[in-house]
C-alpha cells in the first residue's frame, strides 16, 4: 500500500515495524529508531533486518510518537481547513 496504513496502525501501539524500504514505509519508519528497513525482498535481507531489530532496544513511546502526525484528529483538522479555505475563495 502506498501510504502504509498497516505500518502506521501497528506503530501507534508502540510496536516497531520491519518493512521493505520505499513507498509509505520509508516516510514513516526511521531505520533503527522506530523500526528497521530492508532494501530487497530476499530471505537474506529479511533475516538481516530481523537480526538487526533483535539487537535494538526500541522505545515504545518513541515508536508511538513517530506516527502521531498521522492521527485521525490531525487528518480531520487538515480536511476541515482545506474545506474552509476552498469556501472562502
Amino acid at each position: 500500500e502506498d501510504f502504509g496504513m498497516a505500518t502506521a496502525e501497528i506503530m501507534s501501539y508502540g510496536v516497531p515495524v520491519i518493512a521493505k524500504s520505499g513507498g509509505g514505509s520509508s516516510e514513516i519508519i526511521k531505520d533503527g529508531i522506530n523500526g528497521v528497513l530492508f532494501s530487497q525482498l530476499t530471505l537474506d535481507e529479511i533475516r538481516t533486518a530481523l537480526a538487526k531489530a533483535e539487537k535494538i532496544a526500541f522505545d515504545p513511546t518513541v515508536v508511538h510518537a513517530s506516527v502521531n502526525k498521522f492521527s485521525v484528529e490531525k487528518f480531520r483538522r487538515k480536511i476541515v481547513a482545506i474545506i474552509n479555505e476552498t469556501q472562502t475563495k
Side-chain angles (χ1 to χ4, degrees), residues 1 3-11 17:
E1 72 188 295
F3 170 69
M5 187 63 79
T7 299
E9 185 174 352
I10 194 68
M11 290 173 73
V17 173

Side-chain angles (χ1 to χ4, degrees), residues 74-87:
K74 287 193 179 185
F75 277 128
R76 187 191 71 73
R77 277 188 263 141
K78 286 181 182 180
I79 289 170
V80 168
I82 290 169
I83 291 169
N84 289 339
E85 181 181 313
T86 303
Q87 290 176 341

Side-chain angles (χ1 to χ4, degrees), residues 3-81:
F3 170 69
M5 187 63 79
T7 299
E9 185 174 352
I10 194 68
M11 290 173 73
S12 73
Y13 291 97
V15 177
V17 173
I18 299 170
K20 184 178 180 300
S21 58
S25 294
S26 293
E27 293 180 33
I28 300 170
I29 298 172
K30 303 302 176 217
D31 195 46
I33 307 239
N34 58 10
V36 174
L37 295 169
F38 58 91
S39 58
Q40 301 293 320
L41 275 176
T42 66
L43 190 54
D44 284 341
E45 286 270 334
I46 295 169
R47 281 185 184 140
T48 300
L50 285 168
K52 180 178 178 179
E54 288 178 336
K55 295 176 184 173
I56 300 171
F58 292 102
D59 180 344
T61 305
V62 171
V63 175
H64 171 79
S66 65
V67 293
N68 280 343
K69 63 183 172 185
F70 303 112
S71 73
V72 171
E73 180 56 30
K74 287 193 179 185
F75 277 128
R76 187 191 71 73
R77 277 188 263 141
K78 286 181 182 180
I79 289 170
V80 168

